[in-house]
Amino acid sequence: MHIPQALTIAGSDSGGGAGIQADLKTFQELGVYGMSVITAITAQNTAGVQGVYPIELEGVVTQLHSIGDDLQPAAIKTGMLFSADIIHEVAIAVRQYQWNTLVIDPVMVAKGGSVLLQQQAIQALIRELLPLAAVITPNVPEAELLTGSTIHTLKEREQAARQLVQMGARAAVIKGGHDTSTPQAMDVLFDGKQFHYVEYPRVDTPHTHGTGCTYSAAMTAELAKGNGLLQAVQTAKAFVHAAIEDGLGIGSVHGPTNHFAYRQRRAVR
Ligand SMILES: Nc1ncnc2c1ncn2[C@@H]1O[C@H](COP(=O)(O)OP(=O)(O)OP(=O)(O)O)[C@@H](O)[C@H]1O
Ligand SMILES: Cc1ncc(COP(=O)(O)O)c(N)n1
């Protein structure tokens, strides 16, 4: 039996809703064997981030080699990378091990405002990692920082997605989770040739901690199974929407999403 395998390179969230924890739960829920390279430990809960502790560079590099020298992830995602040095080492490993199906979630700040990517690392992300991406999945503020343009309208989101492809990514998804002016949570995918629009109704909930991580992890899992990009994005959107809609009510502030929801809904159908 062939088991699809995927790797996440990201930060640990002690609260379990975002980062490595969200990624591995999502991989598992979608029937994919998950592996991890941890870039930083965060002390975090539903109220916010209480501390950020980057892993020593050598520790990140050794984890990358442990995976690359033995295991064969069919798809890889990056989340919180924290520093330019870590980005540099990840880019080297991606090229060395030919991790061509690379999903970049350019995590920059947590929902509560804590910095998860140092300011000076943004240029390294653009220069070294973005050109290796099968797809990059910024939210609007992240897309603005990556492209240097302001984004208000749908046209501007499309332009930003196109620009990210011109900058070297093979595809870009600009997420609409932050745009509360519309009743739909609509994401724009530019696959290098055409635009696709993936949408579900916006859920009125404060429990959206880790939505971006969960979405990009679900995309990575679907790509690891050999699915095409549009199908992977559509399944990921269904997965994250179910996870938001069936929130768990865990924690006192911005709770995690429900990683069981997609599988449970399919089981009762
Ligand atoms: N309230 C909501 N209702 C429905 N869908 C949502 C909602 N919030 C986010 N989404 C969807 O969740 C996915 C993740 O998007 P989001 O914009 O939250 O990412 P993000 O800001 O990068 O997340 P994170 O802050 O966790 O990294 C997208 O498909 C987005 O449209
Ligand atoms: C380790 C880690 N990675 C990513 C996020 C982003 O998630 P959110 O913006 O929902 O807090 C996070 N909070 N922590």
Side-chain angles (χ1 to χ4, degrees):
M1 184 174 62
H2 174 71
I3 307 286
Q5 297 160 51
L7 167 67
T8 170
I9 305 171
S12 164
D13 168 7
S14 54
I20 289 282
Q21 287 79 359
D23 295 345
L24 291 178
K25 289 174 196 180
T26 303
F27 291 168
Q28 183 83 10
E29 287 294 325
L30 289 167
V32 171
Y33 178 81
M35 298 165 259
S36 62
V37 166
I38 300 183
T39 57
I41 291 173
T42 69
Q44 195 171 170
N45 56 26
T46 67
V49 179
Q50 291 81 42
V52 173
Y53 309 95
I55 300 288
E56 218 180 292
L57 195 58
E58 190 192 334
V60 176
V61 173
T62 309
Q63 290 178 82
L64 289 165
H65 290 318
S66 295
I67 302 288
D69 290 346
D70 180 39
L71 299 150
Q72 271 142 18
I76 293 90
K77 73 155 273 189
T78 62
M80 172 186 181
L81 295 174
F82 192 67
S83 70
D85 285 348
I86 292 178
I87 289 170
H88 180 67
E89 295 300 337
V90 169
I92 289 174
V94 167
R95 286 197 303 266
Q96 178 180 348
Y97 297 113
Q98 297 177 5
W99 288 337
N100 296 330
T101 304
L102 177 69
V103 177
I104 299 181
D105 180 6
V107 172
M108 294 184 187
V109 268
K111 289 217 167 74
S114 295
V115 173
L116 302 179
L117 182 73
Q118 292 174 328
Q119 181 67 27
Q120 62 272 32
I122 297 176
Q123 283 311 314
L125 184 67
I126 293 171
R127 258 198 330 268
E128 298 196 53
L129 210 54
L130 186 144
L132 304 176
V135 60
I136 186 162
T137 66
N139 58 31
V140 167
E142 289 159 353
E144 289 184 324
L145 282 167
L146 292 169
T147 61
S149 17
T150 48
I151 303 169
H152 296 298
T153 63
L154 177 59
K155 263 259 130 348
E156 287 166 344
R157 263 208 281 161
E158 290 170 348
Q159 265 159 14
R162 199 186 277 281
Q163 194 178 332
L164 290 167
V165 169
Q166 281 160 356
M167 290 163 73
R170 302 206 292 282
V173 176
I174 311 228
K175 298 174 289 191
H178 290 243
D179 181 6
T180 48
S181 66
T182 65
Q184 294 294 109
M186 196 245 273
D187 307 330
V188 178
L189 162 65
F190 181 59
D191 64 9
K193 290 201 180 89
Q194 50 179 320
F195 291 100
H196 304 274
Y197 307 89
V198 194
E199 60 184 325
Y200 276 87
R202 177 177 307 285
V203 183
D204 184 15
T205 171
H207 304 308
T208 56
H209 176 58
T211 45
C213 307
T214 301
Y215 186 45
S216 53
M219 251 178 245
T220 308
E222 291 305 302
L223 291 172
K225 293 176 189 171
N227 292 317
L229 181 62
L230 178 58
Q231 197 185 334
V233 171
Q234 285 167 337
T235 302
K237 183 72 173 168
F239 186 97
V240 75
H241 187 261
I244 296 168
E245 208 167 42
D246 295 1
L248 294 165
I250 286 175
S252 53
V253 190
H254 297 292
T257 67
N258 180 350
H259 293 98
F260 309 110
Y262 181 77
R263 176 170 48 88
Q264 284 176 338
R265 286 182 184 194
R266 288 164 74 84
V268 293
R269 245 192 240 146

